[in-house]
Amino acid sequence: MTAFHDLHRSGLLILPNAWDGGSAALMRAKGAKAIATTSAGVAWALGWPDGDALPVERVVQVTRDVVRAAQGLPVSIDFEGGYADDPAEVAAQAANLVEAGAAGINIEDGGGAPEVLAAKIAAIRAAVGPELFINARCDVWLRGVGEPGTRVAEAARRAAIYATAGADGLFTPGLTDVGDIAAMVAATPLPLNLLAFPGLPDARTLEGLGVRRLSAGSGIVGATWGRAAALTEGFLADGRSEPLGDGALGWAEVNALMPAAG
C-alpha cells in the first residue's frame, strides 16, 4: 500500500481541499499532509458548474497541476461520479488520473443505486491495481435518503458493497450527529471520512470517535469566492485601493509559494 493509505491508519487526516495548482501550493506550504481537490472548486475556477459537467480532460490537467504544486505530497482527486456511466470508461479515465500522479480518488453514488458505484469501483480496481486509494462517497445524508433513524444502517449496507468492490475508504458528507458517527465507525471496516459541515464536532472529538479523515470540501473555496465577490463589489462601487490590501498576501509572498519551472 501507499503513503496515502498509511495516513488513514492512525489519527485524523485533515484535508483542506484545493481547486488548482496555486491553492495546492498554498496548502502544502501551510502544512497539509496531503492534498485533495474539490470538484466544485475545480469546476468554478475553470468557469463550469459543479455536478459532472466539467470535461474530464480538464480534470486530468488539473491533476497534473496539483501534483506538480504538491511537490511530492499525496494527491487525491474528486472524481465526482466518474464522468461516465460505463464502468470501463470510468476505469479508463481513472487510469489517466493515476498516470497524471493521483494517489487517490473520491467517487460518489449520488442518486444512483449502490450497485452502480460498486461496478465502477470494481472496474477501476481491476484497471489500476491496489495502490490507488478509492474513497467511496455515500450520499445517504447529503441527499436525505430515508428516515434519519435508518441512515446508518443504509450507509453501512452500502459500505459493505463498496468494500467488496475494492473501496479503501467511506465518505459520508452530511453526517454530523455524534451518536451516528460512532455507530458508523463501528459499522464499517473502511476508514470513515467526514465533510466539514455545520454542527460537526471538532477535530479532536472526531479523532476520538475513530474518524480517520476530515475534508473541507468546497468550504475554503466558497469562502474565497465570497471574499472576492465583496472586494469586487466594493472596487466597482468606489475604486478604492485600501480594502484590496486588507488581509491580503503580498505579491512576493504568493509568488514564493509556487514551484519553480521545470
Side-chain angles (χ1 to χ4, degrees), residues 20-112:
D20 58 12
S23 57
L26 172 65
M27 291 167 183
R28 170 186 51 78
K30 293 301 179 182
K33 294 180 179 179
I35 303 294
T37 65
T38 157
S39 66
V42 170
W44 298 338
L46 295 173
W48 290 76
D50 190 26
D52 287 290
L54 187 66
V56 69
E57 61 268 20
R58 303 298 297 273
V59 180
V60 175
Q61 182 56 56
V62 168
T63 302
R64 296 190 188 101
D65 294 340
V66 171
V67 167
R68 175 179 176 273
Q71 298 281 275
L73 292 181
V75 170
S76 181
I77 299 299
D78 188 341
F79 197 37
E80 300 195 68
Y83 302 98
D85 294 325
D86 177 23
E89 186 176 348
V90 172
Q93 297 295 354
N96 289 335
L97 296 182
V98 172
E99 184 178 358
I105 59 169
N106 276 0
I107 186 166
E108 63 199 51
D109 52 24

Side-chain angles (χ1 to χ4, degrees), residues 3-18:
F4 193 51
H5 284 79
D6 290 340
L7 289 172
H8 295 79
R9 291 199 171 99
S10 62
L12 178 68
L13 174 62
I14 300 179
L15 294 175
N17 300 66

Side-chain angles (χ1 to χ4, degrees), residues 82-253:
Y83 302 98
D85 294 325
D86 177 23
E89 186 176 348
V90 172
Q93 297 295 354
N96 289 335
L97 296 182
V98 172
E99 184 178 358
I105 59 169
N106 276 0
I107 186 166
E108 63 199 51
D109 52 24
E115 291 77 14
V116 173
L117 178 55
K120 294 178 181 180
I121 292 170
I124 293 168
R125 184 59 75 208
V128 304
E131 293 193 350
L132 182 71
F133 190 102
I134 302 176
N135 204 31
R137 194 178 102 174
C138 171
D139 282 348
V140 166
W141 280 273
L142 203 59
R143 291 178 175 260
V145 175
E147 296 299 320
T150 69
R151 288 174 190 157
V152 168
E154 173 60 17
R157 183 183 76 85
R158 296 186 186 200
I161 294 171
Y162 302 151
T164 299
D168 299 293
L170 182 72
F171 185 26
T172 54
L175 172 57
T176 60
D177 179 79
V178 170
D180 285 348
I181 293 170
M184 199 64 240
V185 169
T188 175
L190 298 174
L192 185 64
N193 179 192
L194 298 181
L195 176 69
F197 213 82
L200 190 71
D202 63 21
R204 180 174 296 183
T205 301
L206 294 176
E207 185 171 5
L209 290 168
V211 177
R212 288 292 171 258
R213 179 164 157 181
L214 174 62
S215 302
S218 61
I220 295 174
V221 69
T224 302
W225 275 90
R227 178 65 175 153
L231 288 171
T232 300
E233 289 172 358
F235 189 67
L236 289 172
D238 56 30
R240 292 179 61 239
S241 302
E242 291 77 11
L244 301 181
D246 184 18
L249 297 181
W251 179 92
E253 188 175 0

